[in-house]
């Protein structure tokens, strides 16, 4: 039994009459009493009892569907249900027949085999277990250091309980939610939880009341200590942590049905309804004519099978899988097949900033010293790049490097260059290395003997270093305004010079110029001390010599700007949703092209808290450029839901655990694969293996082509359904007692001759202008008027051809219709002609549907060799059905001669010629209407 309290506070806390929200406001010495701990930590016995009460510090495993349930769900598709019912009734009809017809039994098994084949293909392609809870657990460190019985102990994280006293150092991952009681320059990387890119300083002092997540003396599970050291008392574990709250929110977030799922479901209902109605109508027509009931039913069943596109589910699944493989080659891993098309339908992308648009690596890009600018090349933590004219700034960077606690780590098995500690300090170390500063050597020549850590009041960090001659040097970095107030001199070419009012104004102007570019600016200063160091912090930080300014940023990925421009051309709106400061967000948005207007709409999380749902929808419905900043996971998911209510198809990008609920709720969640968290990757439908926003634009292009290709093979599949149905209807109304094509022959066409060409159509490359068109409307049906008109046109031509060859053969026998039996050689040859006629005409039809308006001869008949090969294979299968004795017995076919094949090829060529004539007429008399993007370009 491992119950987990929704808000974990030991009994001692309840005696204070308060709750968890009171803990941040307590002085450190009172925290132990409030949380039931002590400065010596818990006793082993107390920890054992608490573990039994609160349960292990881990998140519950996700209750995913079992394999059998996933497989059985493949049989709930409407096409599958209709076919299963048809198969069952066919087995029943076989049992009622006297004498029994083996063809009926073959039909029953064939229909059941089709359903099973579709289910296996769908299950194989879409099998992807959801492991959100396991991924959240994977983010939690496996061991941690605590005080138990007054002694340090390294324990498994799952054994932590509220009241435990954690010992934390730089580089440690925080294993539970806890309250600091002792802190030495502690800085926290909260990006995985809040999305903020800059390290957040933490204190052990009491803080004013406010949201727990914003309490500066609290640490949360899944974050990382990047600087300093301290001790903290655990107040929540497992599901009661902030991570646990996000886990529960993610579990509750529903998976959205993609536009294609909706349209396929609508199409399936309509086709199935039409098949049942027409089948029932024909059954009702044949009964009064004196036909046997069972025979009439089997006849009606054949009509229904002719209308249901049995190969569509398999074709759709495998076609989407082709899109998945193409996207994988562009570094986009798609876990759900239908997400391929959903991405192509995207109208809005809600993008994170840190790690998605940016490198997630602070980089010094500009330096200012002695009145001159010095540009720094290279991005990230790899010390590859140069500093323009490094001489005047080398001392600035040497002092900055000495005044850092961070460490620059070279590549190893864990990855490339990285920083242990504050990323801002890491950026200074990299810039110093680019300027030729030997950081390790400088630390040996001037070892640190004293330090005054950074705090939020002074906004400065100071270190004191001993020199070989017995003197010392003070190194200071921090906010420029605070630093200038302590400086009396400025570094000049000949040495220190007095810091005049004019020079001070110049420094402030340079600082403001960097800040206006969205850079984070630090001032650097030093002071030489003679003899033994002594004095207070205030005295040590006085009479400083100002060296210059360092401007740094989390640089945008170089390929993002082009990707954003591509999405704009495609009519996709981009909304930045970030936990960062509005000024930082706007600066990055401008650099990558998301923001162009002088005054974009900027909304913070506080604004969203006071905004009603109707007001939020009105805000999101405006076409203005929009930035959502300082937002929580709830804010992000609320914005996504509001956009969906407005009819938008929403893609959400993210890399942190805080992004998981929105990633799951979106139409398409896009997580970062290299720098993202496991929970984000598992909650998303697509993972960018290279973390590049450019891969999103490439995936949208491929997704759009997938939808167009789906329409192509829908036209291809449904056009021959007409050719299968019309001969049956004609035979019924002219009084011919037998079917012109049997249900088994129809299944052979649908699966043997149609699937591979349809798949080859699904592999057609994207058209050149696919990203110059607006997104298709969310509610646009698969069976649009244009699609229906086209397959009716092509299907009618095929139907006329096969009806002609069938009744020509029947008439050539000179036998009355009533005297025909299923064993009549002429009849068997006639139904063979019908089946072969459909297969051959589909060979030409596949070429015809490759383009909407352009001549297929212009793009080249051989430009899709897979389509030619698939069509020839279908003809070869038909030839085998016609000539191989075993298959003749199964399908009741007969061998065709050369003249028969020549007639069928002529009919197929006629179909292609008619379609080319239609396209010529469209090009000549109906030029395409200009979309909104084209009209905007002309304006």
């Amino acid at each position: 039994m491992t119950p987990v309290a929704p808000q974990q506070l030991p009994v001692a806390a309840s005696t204070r009459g308060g709750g968890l929200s009171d803990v941040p406001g307590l002085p450190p010495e009172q925290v132990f009493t409030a949380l039931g701990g002590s400065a010596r930590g818990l006793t082993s016995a107390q920890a054992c009892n608490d573990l039994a009460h609160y349960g292990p510090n881990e998140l519950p495993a996700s209750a995913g569907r079992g394999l059998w349930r996933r497989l059985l769900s493949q049989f709930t598709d409407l096409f599958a249900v209709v076919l299963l019912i048809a198969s069952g009734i066919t087995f029943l009809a076989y049992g009622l027949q006297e004498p029994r017809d083996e063809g009926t039994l073959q039909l029953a098994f064939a229909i059941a085999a089709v359903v099973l084949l579709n289910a296996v293909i769908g299950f194989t392609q879409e099998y992807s277990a959801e492991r959100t809870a396991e991924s959240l657990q994977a983010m939690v460190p496996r061991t941690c250091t605590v005080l138990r019985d007054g002694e340090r102990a390294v324990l498994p994280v799952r054994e932590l309980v509220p009241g435990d006293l954690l010992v934390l150092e730089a580089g440690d991952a925080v294993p539970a939610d806890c309250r600091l009681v002792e802190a030495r320059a502690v800085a926290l990387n909260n990006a995985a939880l809040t999305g903020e890119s800059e390290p957040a300083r933490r204190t052990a002092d009491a803080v004013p009341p406010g949201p727990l997540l914003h309490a500066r003396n609290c640490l949360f599970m899944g974050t990382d200590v990047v600087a300093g050291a301290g001790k903290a008392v655990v107040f929540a574990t497992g599901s009661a942590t902030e991570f646990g709250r996000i886990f529960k929110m993610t579990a509750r977030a529903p998976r959205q049905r993609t536009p294609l799922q909706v349209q396929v479901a609508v199409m399936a209902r309509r086709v199935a309804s039409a098949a049942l109605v027409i089948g029932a109508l024909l059954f009702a027509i044949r009964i009064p004519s004196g036909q046997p009931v069972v025979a009439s039913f089997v006849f009606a069943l054949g009509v229904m099978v002719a209308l249901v596109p049995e190969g569509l589910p398999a074709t759709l699944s495998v076609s989407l899988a082709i899109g998945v493989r193409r996207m994988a080659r562009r570094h986009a891993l798609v876990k759900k097949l239908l997400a391929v098309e959903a991405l192509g339908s995207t109208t809005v992308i809600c993008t994170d900033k840190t790690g998605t648009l940016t490198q997630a690596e602070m980089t010094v890009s500009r330096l200012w010293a002695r009145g001159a600018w010095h540009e720094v090349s290279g991005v990230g933590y790899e010390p590859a790049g140069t500093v323009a004219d490094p001489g005047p700034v080398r001392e600035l960077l040497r002092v900055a490097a000495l005044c850092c606690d961070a460490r620059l780590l070279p590549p190893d098995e864990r990855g490339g260059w990285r920083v242990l500690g504050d990323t801002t300090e890491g950026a200074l170390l990299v810039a110093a290395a680019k300027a030729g500063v030997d950081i390790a050597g400088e630390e040996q020549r001037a070892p640190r003997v004293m330090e005054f850590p950074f705090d939020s009041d002074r906004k400065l960090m100071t270190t004191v270093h001993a020199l070989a001659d017995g003197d010392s040097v003070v190194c200071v970095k921090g906010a420029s305004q605070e630093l200038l107030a302590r400086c009396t001199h400025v570094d000049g070419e000949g040495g220190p010079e007095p810091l005049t009012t004019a020079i001070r104004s110049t420094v402030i102007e340079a600082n403001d110029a960097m800040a206006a570019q969205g850079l984070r600016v630090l001032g650097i200063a030093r002071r030489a001390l003679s003899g033994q160091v002594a004095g207070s912090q205030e005295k040590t930080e006085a009479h400083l010599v100002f060296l210059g300014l360092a401007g740094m940023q989390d640089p945008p990925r170089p390929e993002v700007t082009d990707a954003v421009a591509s999405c704009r051309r495609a009519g996709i709106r981009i909304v930045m949703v970030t936990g960062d400061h509005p000024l930082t967000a706007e600066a990055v948005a401008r650099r990558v092209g998301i923001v162009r207007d002088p005054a974009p709409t900027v909304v913070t999380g506080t604004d969203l808290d006071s905004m009603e749902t109707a007001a939020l929808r009105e805000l999101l419905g405006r076409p203005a450029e929009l930035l959502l900043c300082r937002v929580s996971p709830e804010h992000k998911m609320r914005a996504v839901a509001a956009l969906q209510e407005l009819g938008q198809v929403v893609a959400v990008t993210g890399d942190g655990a805080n992004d998981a609920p929105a990633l799951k709720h979106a139409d398409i969640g896009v997580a970062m694969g290299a720098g993202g968290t496991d929970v984000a990757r598992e909650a998303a439908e697509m993972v960018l293996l290279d973390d590049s926003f450019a891969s999103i634009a490439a995936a949208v292009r491929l997704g759009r082509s997938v939808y167009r290709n789906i329409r192509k093979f829908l036209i291809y599949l449904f056009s021959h359904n007409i050719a299968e149905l019309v001969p049956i209807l004609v035979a019924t109304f002219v009084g011919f007692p037998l079917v012109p094509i049997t249900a088994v022959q129809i299944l052979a066409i649908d699966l043997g001759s149609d699937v591979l060409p349809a798949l080859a159509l699904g592999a057609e490359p994207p058209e050149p202008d696919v990203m110059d068109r607006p997104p298709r409307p969310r509610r646009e049906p698969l069976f649009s008027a244009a699609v229906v008109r086209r397959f009716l046109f092509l299907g009618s031509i095929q139907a006329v051809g096969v009806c002609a060859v069938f009744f020509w053969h029947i008439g050539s026998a000179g036998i009355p219709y009533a005297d025909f039996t299923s064993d009549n050689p002429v009849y068997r040859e006639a139904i063979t002609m019908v089946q072969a006629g459909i297969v051959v005409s589909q060979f030409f039809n596949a070429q015809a549907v490759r383009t909407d308006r352009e001549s297929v001869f212009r793009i080249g008949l051989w430009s899709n060799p897979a389509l030619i090969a698939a069509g020839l294979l279908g003809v070869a299968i038909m030839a085998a059905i016609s000539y191989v004795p075993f298959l003749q017995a199964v399908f009741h076919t007969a061998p065709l001669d050369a003249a028969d094949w020549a007639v069928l090829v002529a009919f197929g060529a006629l179909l292609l010629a008619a379609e080319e004539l239609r396209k010529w007429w469209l090009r000549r008399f109906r030029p395409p209407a200009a979309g909104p993007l084209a009209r905007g370009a002309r304006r």
Side-chain angles (χ1 to χ4, degrees):
M1 178 176 176
T2 57
V4 180
Q7 190 181 72
Q8 291 184 354
L9 277 177
V11 177
S14 64
T15 63
R16 301 183 53 83
L20 187 57
S21 59
D22 299 327
V23 174
L26 298 176
E29 59 273 11
Q30 296 182 18
V31 172
F32 293 109
T33 303
L35 296 179
S38 73
R40 290 175 50 82
L42 299 176
T43 65
S44 298
Q46 185 180 4
C48 184
N49 290 334
D50 286 348
L51 184 62
H53 175 68
Y54 293 115
N57 178 35
E58 59 189 12
L59 298 168
S62 59
R65 294 184 304 167
L67 293 180
W68 282 108
R69 290 187 62 188
R70 291 193 186 94
L71 180 60
L72 290 175
S73 69
Q74 300 295 324
F75 296 94
T76 60
D77 172 82
L78 187 56
F79 283 150
V81 171
V82 170
L83 292 175
L84 282 173
I85 294 173
S87 178
I89 296 176
T90 308
F91 276 114
L92 179 62
Y94 173 74
L96 296 175
Q97 281 179 324
E98 287 295 341
R100 292 177 178 175
D101 184 358
E102 293 298 322
T104 304
L105 183 61
Q106 291 172 359
L107 175 61
F109 277 115
I111 296 174
V114 168
V115 177
L116 181 61
L117 177 63
N118 285 335
V120 170
I121 292 175
F123 173 79
T124 302
Q125 295 290 350
E126 295 188 1
Y127 172 61
S128 176
E130 294 184 6
R131 302 182 183 91
T132 302
E134 291 87 343
S135 299
L136 278 165
Q137 183 64 23
M139 293 185 66
V140 181
R142 297 303 178 191
T143 60
C144 58
T145 303
V146 299
L147 287 180
R148 287 274 176 94
D149 300 311
E151 301 290 336
R152 283 197 179 208
V154 177
L155 299 177
V157 164
R158 70 186 311 274
E159 295 182 10
L160 275 183
V161 295
D164 259 324
L165 184 59
L166 284 168
V167 180
L168 298 167
E169 298 178 348
D172 288 347
V174 180
D177 291 359
C178 49
R179 161 67 154 87
L180 279 169
V181 292
E182 181 181 315
R184 297 184 299 281
V186 173
L188 202 66
N189 178 2
N190 276 330
L193 194 61
T194 66
E196 296 182 21
S197 59
E198 295 182 2
R201 295 287 175 173
R202 287 295 183 258
T203 179
D205 299 331
V207 298
L212 183 64
L213 196 59
H214 297 162
R216 295 180 55 247
N217 54 15
C218 291
L219 312 180
F220 301 94
M221 175 192 284
T223 60
D224 301 292
V225 179
V226 296
K231 294 179 181 178
V233 182
V234 174
F235 60 75
T237 59
S239 296
T241 62
E242 284 295 308
F243 244 48
R245 182 180 63 84
I246 292 175
F247 162 76
K248 288 181 283 189
M249 189 188 312
T250 303
R252 290 194 301 267
R255 289 282 188 197
Q256 299 299 310
R257 298 180 74 198
T258 70
L260 185 61
Q261 279 179 300
V262 174
Q263 295 302 329
V264 168
V266 171
M267 179 190 70
R269 287 196 299 270
R270 291 177 178 174
V271 172
S273 299
L276 292 172
V277 169
I278 294 175
L281 180 62
L282 291 178
F283 178 76
I285 291 174
R286 289 177 67 92
I287 290 298
S289 65
Q291 297 288 338
V293 174
V294 174
S296 297
F297 173 78
V298 173
F299 174 85
L301 193 64
V303 173
M304 188 187 75
V305 172
L307 280 172
V308 175
E310 296 84 6
L312 180 59
T315 303
L316 190 61
S317 294
V318 180
S319 180
L320 290 171
I322 291 172
V324 168
R325 288 194 292 271
R326 282 182 170 176
M327 288 186 180
R329 290 196 289 268
R330 297 301 303 268
H331 311 292
L333 177 62
V334 178
K335 302 192 299 179
K336 300 287 186 181
L337 290 183
L338 287 165
V340 175
E341 186 278 332
L343 191 65
S345 307
T346 298
T347 59
V348 178
I349 297 177
C350 292
T351 178
D352 194 15
K353 178 184 72 67
T354 305
T356 305
L357 300 175
T358 67
Q359 304 270 6
E361 296 180 347
M362 292 297 289
T363 303
V364 174
S365 57
R366 301 193 82 187
L367 299 168
W368 184 91
R370 300 179 186 175
W373 294 100
H374 302 262
E375 304 296 330
V376 183
S377 65
V379 296
Y381 297 139
E382 181 181 2
T386 59
V387 178
D389 188 17
V393 295
R394 189 168 283 119
E395 176 63 10
L396 178 155
L397 291 172
R398 184 186 74 86
V399 170
L402 289 173
C403 190
C404 285
D405 289 328
R407 289 290 177 267
L408 186 62
L409 303 179
D412 57 17
E413 66 279 357
R414 296 177 58 185
W417 288 88
R418 66 186 193 280
V419 167
L420 177 61
D422 190 298
T423 56
T424 299
E425 294 186 343
L428 292 171
L429 294 175
V430 173
K434 291 176 181 178
V437 176
D438 180 5
I439 299 173
E442 294 296 338
E443 290 176 343
Q444 289 181 353
R445 286 189 287 273
R448 185 183 300 185
V449 294
M450 184 182 293
E451 69 176 272
F452 300 102
F454 176 91
D455 67 58
S456 56
D457 295 327
R458 298 169 32 244
K459 298 181 181 179
L460 298 174
M461 175 181 176
T462 300
T463 58
V464 182
H465 302 262
L467 302 177
D469 58 6
D471 293 337
S472 301
V473 61
V474 177
C475 302
V476 188
K477 72 176 191 299
S480 303
Q481 295 280 9
E482 302 294 331
L483 191 62
L484 280 173
R486 293 165 170 79
C487 291
T488 57
H489 290 75
V490 63
D491 186 47
E493 293 184 5
E497 301 173 357
L499 182 60
T500 64
T501 301
I503 295 176
R504 191 181 298 271
S505 298
T506 302
V507 173
I508 293 174
E509 289 176 2
N511 180 88
D512 292 345
M514 285 194 193
Q517 297 170 1
L519 301 182
R520 183 182 183 191
V521 186
L522 289 181
I524 313 296
R526 63 170 166 78
R527 176 188 178 191
L529 295 177
S530 299
Q532 183 67 31
V533 176
S536 65
Q537 174 180 297
E538 183 177 351
K539 291 182 179 179
T540 303
E541 293 178 346
H543 306 291
L544 300 174
V545 178
F546 187 80
L547 299 178
L549 303 169
M552 62 194 70
Q553 61 177 327
D554 182 3
R557 295 178 177 274
E559 69 278 3
V560 165
T561 302
D562 289 341
V564 168
S566 177
C567 289
R568 278 182 172 272
R569 289 196 308 274
I572 299 173
R573 183 185 184 191
I574 303 177
V575 177
M576 181 183 286
V577 186
T578 178
D580 256 337
H581 191 278
L583 293 178
T584 305
E586 184 176 347
V588 172
R590 287 194 183 280
R591 283 199 292 269
V592 300
I594 292 176
V595 166
R596 296 178 180 175
D597 293 343
T601 302
V602 179
V603 180
T604 66
T606 304
D607 298 329
L608 291 174
D609 286 333
S610 60
M611 193 176 293
E612 296 292 335
T613 301
L616 177 60
R617 282 200 297 265
E618 193 274 332
L619 170 71
L620 295 173
R622 300 175 198 162
E625 294 172 342
L626 179 63
L627 303 177
L628 302 180
C629 307
R630 295 295 194 195
V631 296
S632 68
E634 292 90 345
H635 295 143
K636 193 168 186 176
M637 194 162 73
R638 187 181 172 205
V640 170
L643 285 166
Q644 290 172 329
E645 290 170 4
L646 291 170
Q648 304 294 332
V649 179
V650 185
V652 173
T653 73
D655 57 356
N658 61 311
D659 299 314
L663 287 171
K664 186 177 179 183
H665 193 274
D667 294 288
I668 172 73
V670 183
M672 303 301 110
T677 58
D678 285 344
V679 59
R681 288 191 288 268
E682 289 300 331
E685 284 86 8
M686 189 174 87
V687 178
L688 300 183
L689 302 179
D690 59 355
D691 286 10
S692 173
F693 189 88
S695 295
I696 298 177
V700 168
R701 180 172 178 267
L702 290 171
R704 288 188 171 189
S705 70
V706 165
Y707 184 78
R708 294 182 67 84
N709 289 344
I710 287 173
R711 283 195 160 185
K712 291 174 185 176
F713 68 68
L714 282 179
I715 295 170
Y716 173 82
L717 291 175
F718 279 94
S719 58
H720 81 72
N721 276 20
I722 295 174
E724 294 166 350
L725 175 63
V726 169
I728 296 176
L729 296 178
V730 171
T732 300
F733 288 106
V734 302
F736 189 78
L738 303 173
V739 290
I741 183 170
T742 66
V744 176
Q745 286 179 293
I746 291 171
L747 292 176
I749 295 173
D750 289 354
L751 297 179
S753 304
D754 272 356
V755 171
L756 290 179
L759 292 179
L761 285 171
E764 283 279 323
E767 297 179 36
D769 63 343
V770 71
M771 289 298 281
D772 295 329
R773 308 171 186 172
R776 67 178 181 86
R778 184 185 185 104
R779 300 187 185 279
E780 180 182 87
L782 272 173
F783 274 10
S784 65
V787 170
V788 173
R789 284 195 303 268
R790 196 167 177 197
F791 74 65
L792 286 176
F793 173 74
L794 295 169
S796 297
I797 296 173
Q798 293 184 64
V800 169
V802 295
C803 283
V805 296
F806 177 78
F807 286 103
W808 170 59
H809 262 71
I810 293 297
S812 66
I815 303 174
Y817 287 172
D819 294 337
F820 272 93
T821 64
S822 59
D823 293 328
N824 189 298
V826 175
Y827 170 72
R828 295 182 64 166
E829 185 175 329
I831 64 173
T832 307
M833 285 287 285
V834 172
Q835 183 180 359
I838 294 174
V839 171
V840 172
S841 63
Q842 283 294 86
F843 177 87
F844 291 92
N845 189 24
Q847 293 293 332
V849 301
R850 290 178 61 193
T851 59
D852 293 330
R853 302 172 62 91
E854 195 68 49
S855 170
V856 70
F857 296 101
R858 187 176 181 86
I859 67 171
L861 289 174
W862 295 95
S863 58
N864 189 341
L867 184 59
I868 298 290
L872 291 175
L873 179 60
V875 174
I877 293 173
M878 183 63 239
I881 291 173
S882 175
Y883 297 120
V884 176
F886 167 73
L887 294 177
Q888 287 177 346
V890 172
F891 293 96
H892 301 286
T893 54
L896 303 180
D897 58 29
D900 294 330
W901 287 106
V903 170
L904 298 179
V905 170
F907 272 121
L910 180 64
L911 179 143
L912 180 59
E915 176 66 0
E916 284 294 304
L917 183 62
R918 187 193 68 85
K919 292 176 185 175
W920 171 84
W921 187 85
L922 286 177
R923 294 193 301 270
R924 179 71 181 271
F925 299 106
R926 297 183 62 181
L933 295 176
R935 290 194 293 269
R938 285 201 292 270
R939 287 196 300 269

